[in-house]
């Protein structure tokens, strides 16, 4: 009987066992990976847009308070 490594406790052997999986499992893995990348990109874009919208709102409020435009631009 060939030696069988306990893959529960060995990350390298788990990875090697995964790579030996059938093509459908690998396809699903790649799809999941791409979905995670898309999700992370969407979250980053939303955060960046939120920061910009927040700065615009602050600038509008400062204009309403009659703060000089050059001081607002410096902030």
């Amino acid at each position: 009987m060939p030696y069988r490594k306990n893959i529960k406790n060995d990350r390298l052997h788990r990875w090697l066992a995964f790579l030996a999986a059938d093509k459908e499992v690998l396809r699903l893995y790649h799809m999941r990976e791409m979905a995670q990348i898309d999700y992370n990109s969407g979250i980053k874009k939303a955060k960046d847009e939120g920061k910009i919208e927040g700065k615009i709102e602050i600038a509008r409020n400062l204009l309403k308070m009659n703060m000089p435009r050059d001081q607002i631009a410096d902030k």
Side-chain angles (χ1 to χ4, degrees), residues 6-21 25-26 29-30 33:
N6 180 358
I7 66 172
K8 275 186 169 181
N9 299 320
D10 189 324
R11 292 174 61 194
L12 175 61
H13 280 84
R14 278 197 313 266
W15 183 243
L16 291 172
F18 177 78
L19 291 176
V25 172
L26 291 175
Y29 169 78
H30 289 296
E33 184 178 37

Side-chain angles (χ1 to χ4, degrees), residues 1 5 11-12 17-20 27 29 32 36-37 52-56 61 63 66-67 69-70 74:
M1 173 182 270
K5 181 78 172 167
R11 292 174 61 194
L12 175 61
F18 177 78
L19 291 176
R27 185 184 72 78
Y29 169 78
R32 171 74 174 112
Q36 189 66 44
I37 290 169
I52 292 169
E53 289 174 11
K55 289 179 181 181
I56 291 170
N61 289 338
L63 284 171
N66 295 320
M67 180 179 270
R69 290 179 186 263
D70 59 333
D74 288 340

Side-chain angles (χ1 to χ4, degrees), residues 36-72:
Q36 189 66 44
I37 290 169
D38 290 346
Y39 174 79
N40 290 341
S41 296
I43 293 294
K44 183 182 181 325
K45 183 178 179 187
K47 284 181 181 180
D48 292 345
E49 288 174 358
K51 288 178 185 177
I52 292 169
E53 289 174 11
K55 289 179 181 181
I56 291 170
E57 184 178 346
I58 290 169
R60 285 184 180 145
N61 289 338
L62 292 173
L63 284 171
K64 287 179 186 176
M65 295 168 55
N66 295 320
M67 180 179 270
R69 290 179 186 263
D70 59 333
Q71 284 183 342
I72 295 172

